[in-house]
Amino acid sequence: MPQLAWNQIRPAPVVLVSGTEGFLADRAIRSLRDALKTADPSLEISDVSASDYAPGELVTLASPSLFDEPRLIRVDAVEKCTDAFLTEMIEYLSAPAEGTVVVLRHAGGVRGKKLLDTIRSGTGGAVEVVCTELKKDAEKYEFAQAEFAGAGRKITAGALRAITSAFSDDLAELAAACQQLISDAAEQITEATVDKYYSGRVETNAFQVADAAIAGRHGEALITMRHALASGADPVPMVAAFASKIRTMAKVAGARGGSGQLAQQFGLAPWQVDRAKRDLQGWTEDGLGRCIEVLAETDANVKGGGRDPVFSLERMIRIVSARGRG
């Protein structure tokens, strides 16, 4: 049976939306609803919870109405479905109702496996939309990139990196931030635009500190670090930003191949490889090794192992700014 990405969802008698990423699943289902509604404004929409399903509910909702309007039946919590739903849905697959789209949301787990196997065998003309969690930075960057491309808006690579870093922990927040920039920002969106809207985000400030230190701009890194701490930033994610960048540099150092090839090899985006190559200018393997050791020490200190987290940060920044020679 066809397996589609979340943004490739299309009508079918039965649409299985699987995977753990709830935000992408919700967006995919909403997109399908909008498409069906645009095609026929008389669309009837019904919602069913598979976890407290009443026997006969599916057949009743799928039965033709007086005016034969198209129907969309959204079924949630299939991973917690009752035995009655499991039995009736498998029976329904053998003869889906004409003019009806049944969307099944399964968030993972073994419950309902027999139903999933039946759907995936091709029974009932179903399609599956897979919504897996975006864990890698490269995946989140590509998601944000697609948000701006879909809206026809121009954004610089640096701005994309900044917005992705600022909201890397929550895909819904990242999408909302992208949409705000698309709606409010004029012309091309740059790093300055992102900083104007989201300068208070800890992650953005942390990467600004790391960028300055890795480039050897010790004074700028210290000033930015102190400003971030005064604005409420926590030392822990600041160290994490340094670790993320140094780790990427260590992966790329000495590796041979084009940006695309190395990106695939290391699970990065091509822009991350290009940035790491630029950041590596002036660095040595010994310097990288020294900084990795200092990062580990600093991480332990800011998490309670040291008496002065700020002193630990300043020491780390000094050594990184000196490319491990401090």
Side-chain angles (χ1 to χ4, degrees):
M1 64 170 291
Q3 284 194 324
L4 310 173
W6 70 271
N7 55 357
Q8 297 174 321
I9 193 168
R10 59 176 173 81
V14 175
V15 179
L16 170 62
V17 181
S18 63
T20 56
E21 183 48 75
F23 172 77
L24 293 182
D26 291 344
R27 179 178 277 198
I29 294 170
R30 187 165 61 250
S31 174
L32 178 61
R33 178 206 64 193
D34 293 344
L36 292 172
K37 194 77 174 176
T38 299
D40 192 332
S42 67
L43 177 73
E44 285 189 1
I45 302 174
S46 303
D47 291 303
V48 175
S49 175
S51 61
D52 55 6
Y53 178 80
E57 193 173 359
L58 178 62
V59 174
T60 300
L61 293 174
S63 298
S65 64
L66 179 62
F67 299 102
D68 200 27
E69 298 94 345
R71 290 168 299 285
L72 170 63
I73 303 173
R74 300 179 296 199
V75 184
D76 194 22
V78 175
E79 72 279 2
K80 302 175 184 177
C81 66
T82 64
D83 291 338
F85 175 80
L86 197 60
T87 300
E88 293 186 13
M89 189 64 220
I90 291 175
E91 291 177 356
Y92 180 85
L93 284 168
S94 63
E98 186 176 350
T100 298
V101 175
V102 177
V103 178
L104 304 176
R105 172 69 182 118
H106 192 288
V110 297
R111 180 63 177 164
K113 185 178 183 301
K114 183 178 180 181
L115 171 60
L116 300 187
D117 290 343
T118 304
I119 292 172
R120 289 167 178 162
S121 71
T123 304
V127 299
E128 181 175 7
V129 177
V130 182
C131 300
T132 53
E133 186 177 352
L134 305 186
K135 295 182 178 180
K136 296 180 179 179
D137 290 341
E139 294 171 330
K140 295 170 185 175
Y141 179 89
E142 290 171 359
F143 171 82
Q145 189 175 45
E147 292 288 281
F148 291 99
R153 296 300 308 276
K154 293 182 179 180
I155 181 169
T156 65
L160 262 176
R161 183 177 69 83
I163 195 69
T164 304
S165 298
F167 295 95
S168 61
D169 293 336
D170 192 310
L171 192 61
E173 285 191 0
L174 175 59
C178 290
Q179 291 305 316
Q180 182 176 12
L181 288 173
I182 289 168
S183 301
D184 295 350
E187 300 180 356
Q188 187 180 49
I189 299 165
T190 65
E191 288 180 80
T193 313
V194 176
D195 188 61
K196 174 185 175 183
Y197 278 79
Y198 301 113
S199 60
R201 293 293 297 195
V202 171
E203 295 87 352
T204 300
N205 285 329
F207 277 96
Q208 289 172 351
V209 177
D211 286 341
I214 288 169
R217 302 192 298 271
H218 179 234
E220 179 185 334
L222 275 180
I223 292 171
T224 308
M225 181 270 288
R226 289 166 180 162
H227 174 74
L229 293 177
S231 301
D234 187 272
V236 173
M238 194 169 295
V239 177
F242 273 79
S244 174
K245 292 184 70 67
I246 297 291
R247 191 182 305 118
T248 301
M249 290 166 62
K251 288 179 181 178
V252 173
R256 295 183 177 180
S259 297
Q261 180 183 358
L262 294 179
Q264 186 174 15
Q265 179 181 345
F266 296 125
L268 303 168
W271 68 265
Q272 290 177 299
V273 175
D274 292 336
R275 179 60 187 263
K277 288 180 177 179
R278 292 197 302 270
D279 288 340
L280 281 165
Q281 294 178 10
W283 283 77
T284 64
E285 289 188 10
D286 289 342
L288 277 174
R290 169 67 172 142
C291 285
I292 289 172
E293 291 175 354
V294 170
L295 282 168
E297 295 170 7
T298 308
D299 185 64
N301 287 337
V302 300
K303 290 179 178 177
R307 289 182 293 181
D308 191 341
V310 176
F311 173 79
S312 296
L313 282 177
E314 290 179 346
R315 174 176 175 268
M316 176 189 69
I317 289 171
R318 175 175 56 81
I319 294 173
V320 171
S321 298
R323 296 179 169 88
R325 295 187 289 268

